[in-house]
Amino acid sequence: MFIKNTWYVACTEAELDGLGAKPLGRTICNEKMVFFKGPDGQAVAVEDFCPHRGAPLSLGQVCEGKLVCGYHGLEMGCEGKVVHMPGQRVRGFPANKAYAVTRRYGFVWVWPGDQTQADLAKMPTFEFFDNPGWAYSGGLYHVQADYRLMIDNLMDLTHETYVHASSIGQPEIDETPCSTSVENGQVVLQRHMSGIQAPPFWQMAMSANGLDPQAKVDRWQICRFTPPSHIMIDVGVALAGHGGFHAPPEVKAYSVVVDFITPETETSHWYHWGMARQFKPQDEALTARIREGQGKIFNEDMQMLQLQQANILRWPDRPLLMLNIDSGGVQSRRIIDRLLAEEQAHGVTA
Amino acid sequence: MSTIDPTQAPLPGDGCFEVHLHKSGQTLQVRPDQSILQVLQEAGHEVPYSCSQGVCGTCLTPVVAGQPDHWDMYLTPEEQAQGDAIMVCCSRSQTARLVLDL
């Protein structure tokens, strides 16, 4: 079960646009969808099912803004209505579900649930996209694990010490307690470390921002979960004693880790990860270096989550522990469960 | 005693109508729970058909007399108004008798 009356990231605009005349098949919240570009270049999604013989429409081709089935040439229009098929009258053909889709922030967003409730005003807003004061870059991983395991992972960064020992991990993370709060339907988990040595990733970022990488720093991690499954994490280091997160920009290197976690099935998800930063936003070489570094780090998470999921499936009846470090994930799941119950109560899962 | 032409008479209250086959001369009864196609098949007439829901046009059959009651999505409204063809899979009769060119 998934929260469906909400916006999820389906793909990047670059991924869809880069496919040319090919559509993009993607399952989101257990709904098999096909994304393509309509006649005006707008992003469109319909059920990935040809009403003729059930072939996946995603095997077809886009021609003049219509999706042509790769089996017998049925032409699907943007509204989910069949518009043409060679040798046929298509007036009585059953329609496909068409999904509300919009392009924003470099992503294609989709509303999987009740289409009459789709509302652009419910789209989350982010200051760092489309903003020349910030640089953003990221990537996509297809993770074979329950999307909530990714939420747990990102809402408890003590794993960095072990999973990411060579890049962002350090023992001070384990040694510094975190605090969790729930504010306005958002879970905030934070940890502030003082007077420590920056780990390798942050030393690189300090150098890139003209700071002495060996200097003692105050380091922070502020994880913010908003439903259905977006997690933004303020991360950074500032020269020690300047106020940490609140230190002036010239003495710190900091960024926002951007996580859009889109369920695919009960045991898999699409993970759009990225980093937005304010230091040296025009430095494209630095952007590329950060993306490469982050990609390696998040690949370590993916490996762990996939093996964790496999293990959980092997021992389905074993309960899992929820410790003090897990409170961020526990609170996030509580919000998900509440919203799921609300949708179930309203009978809106179509 | 005057004879009423059943292809001009309205459908009787029980919803049954008869289908007369112009070429074979056979007359068949269609009950409300049957389609014309089913009745034709049961009488041994292999009429081409496919979707069985008025979409594909395969079972298009010429009408000689009587007024069809169109339920299909294949014929245009203009074609339906002409009344000279019927989708036997789903459409019915507005008159007590329909004469098909079979």
Side-chain angles (χ1 to χ4, degrees):
Chain A
M1 270 199 308
F2 304 105
I3 301 170
K4 287 196 170 181
N5 289 326
T6 189
W7 294 103
Y8 286 100
V9 169
C11 61
T12 61
E13 294 190 82
E15 184 176 12
L16 183 64
D17 293 339
L19 286 170
K22 293 296 293 177
L24 174 70
R26 184 148 291 174
T27 296
I28 292 174
C29 297
N30 266 336
E31 301 210 14
K32 200 166 184 293
M33 308 178 184
V34 53
F35 292 80
F36 63 102
K37 292 188 293 285
D40 304 320
Q42 78 274 33
V44 173
V46 300
E47 289 169 310
D48 191 8
F49 184 92
C50 180
H52 173 214
R53 304 296 299 157
L57 289 170
S58 55
L59 300 178
Q61 291 258 8
V62 185
C63 183
E64 294 171 349
K66 288 165 292 192
L67 178 53
V68 183
C69 181
Y71 200 177
H72 304 96
L74 176 144
E75 292 181 21
M76 176 60 67
C78 302
E79 318 285 328
K81 291 273 294 177
V82 180
V83 290
H84 179 74
M85 187 169 171
Q88 305 296 329
R89 292 185 180 189
V90 300
R91 192 164 69 99
F93 284 25
N96 273 20
K97 179 176 179 180
Y99 298 91
V101 173
T102 194
R103 293 174 181 259
R104 194 173 290 181
Y105 301 135
F107 296 97
V108 174
W109 300 73
V110 65
W111 181 283
D114 178 358
Q115 297 304 304
T116 63
Q117 294 188 43
D119 185 358
L120 280 176
K122 292 181 176 164
M123 180 76 78
T125 55
F126 304 96
E127 64 166 328
F128 40 77
F129 289 124
D130 311 324
N131 183 337
W134 291 76
Y136 177 81
S137 187
L140 166 65
Y141 286 152
H142 187 196
V143 186
Q144 299 300 314
D146 185 332
Y147 78 106
R148 294 171 303 177
L149 294 179
M150 185 59 84
I151 293 173
D152 296 342
N153 170 282
L154 293 163
M155 293 301 284
D156 164 27
L157 300 183
T158 56
H159 75 272
E160 289 184 359
T161 307
Y162 305 94
V163 180
H164 313 305
S166 64
S167 53
I168 53 175
Q170 59 184 159
E172 289 88 347
I173 298 174
D174 283 346
E175 294 159 5
T176 311
C178 62
S179 70
T180 309
S181 61
V182 181
E183 303 158 11
N184 304 319
Q186 176 180 255
V187 181
V188 182
L189 172 135
Q190 43 191 318
R191 176 179 286 105
H192 298 269
M193 294 157 268
S194 302
I196 61 169
Q197 194 77 35
F201 179 87
W202 286 112
Q203 289 189 358
M204 182 272 284
M206 289 172 78
S207 298
N209 205 21
L211 300 171
D212 172 11
Q214 296 304 322
K216 290 283 191 219
V217 295
D218 297 330
R219 182 183 178 190
W220 62 89
Q221 302 168 320
I222 308 171
C223 311
R224 306 171 198 276
F225 165 88
T226 48
S229 46
H230 311 316
I231 298 177
M232 304 298 130
I233 310 180
D234 287 310
V235 288
V237 294
L239 295 179
H242 285 82
F245 177 63
H246 298 290
E250 62 272 17
V251 298
K252 65 184 179 184
Y254 67 109
S255 54
V256 181
V257 177
V258 176
D259 308 283
F260 295 122
I261 306 163
T262 302
E264 181 190 39
T265 67
E266 301 291 344
T267 55
S268 61
H269 65 271
W270 303 99
Y271 179 32
H272 284 91
W273 50 266
M275 187 172 272
R277 73 173 196 281
Q278 266 187 306
F279 61 92
K280 300 224 182 313
Q282 315 304 335
D283 187 341
E284 291 180 13
L286 177 61
T287 302
R289 202 139 44 98
I290 289 177
R291 182 177 56 230
E292 190 191 345
Q294 193 186 9
K296 282 183 187 158
I297 293 170
F298 284 23
N299 185 57
E300 294 171 336
D301 292 298
M302 179 165 69
Q303 301 305 325
M304 176 60 81
L305 263 60
Q306 293 186 153
L307 294 172
Q308 179 194 13
Q309 177 69 69
N311 227 21
I312 290 171
L313 289 172
R314 198 164 290 126
W315 275 292
D317 299 324
R318 286 186 75 146
L320 304 181
L321 290 175
M322 300 295 186
L323 304 179
N324 56 3
I325 55 172
D326 299 307
S327 64
V330 167
Q331 294 291 355
S332 302
R333 285 173 178 247
R334 201 165 148 235
I335 290 177
I336 290 172
D337 289 343
R338 176 172 56 76
L339 292 171
L340 270 176
E342 281 175 20
E343 282 197 2
Q344 298 304 308
H346 291 97
V348 187
T349 49
Chain B
M1 203 176 102
S2 68
T3 326
I4 299 168
D5 178 358
T7 65
Q8 303 292 320
L11 209 58
D14 62 4
C16 296
F17 61 92
E18 59 182 39
V19 168
H20 181 73
L21 307 184
H22 183 64
K23 287 176 182 159
S24 70
Q26 208 174 354
T27 300
L28 306 166
Q29 296 295 321
V30 183
R31 296 191 312 268
D33 62 342
Q34 294 173 300
S35 68
I36 300 174
L37 177 63
Q38 281 171 340
V39 171
L40 290 170
Q41 286 173 332
E42 282 164 22
H45 295 274
E46 288 305 324
V47 182
Y49 77 102
S50 190
C51 75
S52 297
Q53 52 191 21
V55 170
C56 72
T58 309
C59 66
L60 183 81
T61 303
V63 173
V64 178
Q67 197 177 347
D69 181 14
H70 296 290
W71 283 79
D72 69 283
M73 292 287 286
Y74 181 83
L75 296 172
T76 64
E78 294 75 26
E79 290 168 334
Q80 290 184 345
Q82 282 171 24
D84 57 359
I86 185 172
M87 297 299 149
V88 293
C89 68
C90 65
S91 293
R92 309 189 67 80
S93 180
Q94 296 189 56
T95 49
R97 170 180 279 209
L98 208 53
V99 182
L100 302 180
D101 194 18
L102 288 174

